[in-house]
Amino acid sequence: YCRMLTFDAKQTIQEIYADQIRWVFLDYPLEQVHPLARGIHEAAYCAGEQGSHFEFIQTAFAEAPAESPDDVFRYAEALALGLDAFTECVNEGRYSGQIDASIALVEQMGFGATPAVIFARYDAGEYGERLTVLGAQPAEAFTQIIDQLLGD
């Protein structure tokens, strides 16, 4: 379901609302469903050190499901990342704490499944009305909510 959101809905939303919305991604790897998910999330941040966080996520989803922890190195190679720096980052678990914090935040918000999308209006430093969509939905479901929040 996350793959569908990443490839279908997110792309459409970005094209329509490019300068009107901000997309925030929180990590919530469901290891009981995808045992290698946490390692992929951590590796995505290592790819981000080289400017390729979202591209890494897209590559991982395109190749899903991962079959080995070493798949992250194949994804990095496909993105032409500097493998020495990437490997060092992955091996030291540099972003493990960040993943833990994201998981805690998602659980604090009351979510236990993915994908979960929260839409909120943000004006003058304040969050207004919030709407939540759980599960994979077609892009049209998201655009209706965004239009409602934007007042279009």
Side-chain angles (χ1 to χ4, degrees), residues 7-81:
F7 282 113
D8 300 333
K10 184 178 187 295
Q11 181 175 343
T12 301
I13 291 166
Q14 297 264 141
E15 289 171 2
I16 296 170
Y17 305 100
D19 61 344
Q20 298 175 334
I21 66 167
R22 187 171 124 195
W23 190 273
V24 178
F25 181 85
L26 297 176
D27 297 283
Y28 195 68
L30 297 174
E31 294 178 279
Q32 61 275 36
V33 178
H34 306 289
L36 302 175
R38 184 184 177 100
I40 291 170
H41 281 253
E42 289 185 29
Y45 284 100
C46 293
E49 290 183 358
Q50 298 181 47
S52 295
H53 181 268
F54 187 68
E55 293 81 1
F56 188 92
I57 295 289
Q58 286 181 309
T59 301
F61 279 137
E63 300 284 328
E67 296 177 6
S68 161
D70 290 336
D71 283 351
V72 298
F73 301 106
R74 188 169 45 82
Y75 306 156
E77 190 172 318
L79 293 169
L81 299 180

Side-chain angles (χ1 to χ4, degrees), residues 95-149:
Y95 291 95
S96 182
Q98 186 165 333
I99 302 297
D100 290 340
S102 182
I103 291 169
L105 177 59
V106 170
E107 290 175 349
Q108 179 184 359
M109 294 168 64
F111 298 108
T114 64
V117 180
I118 302 168
F119 296 94
R121 186 169 186 87
Y122 187 75
D123 287 315
E126 298 289 325
Y127 285 103
E129 180 182 8
R130 294 179 185 148
L131 300 170
T132 303
V133 177
L134 300 175
Q137 301 289 327
E140 295 77 28
F142 297 116
T143 59
Q144 288 175 353
I145 292 170
I146 294 169
D147 287 343
Q148 177 184 341
L149 289 172

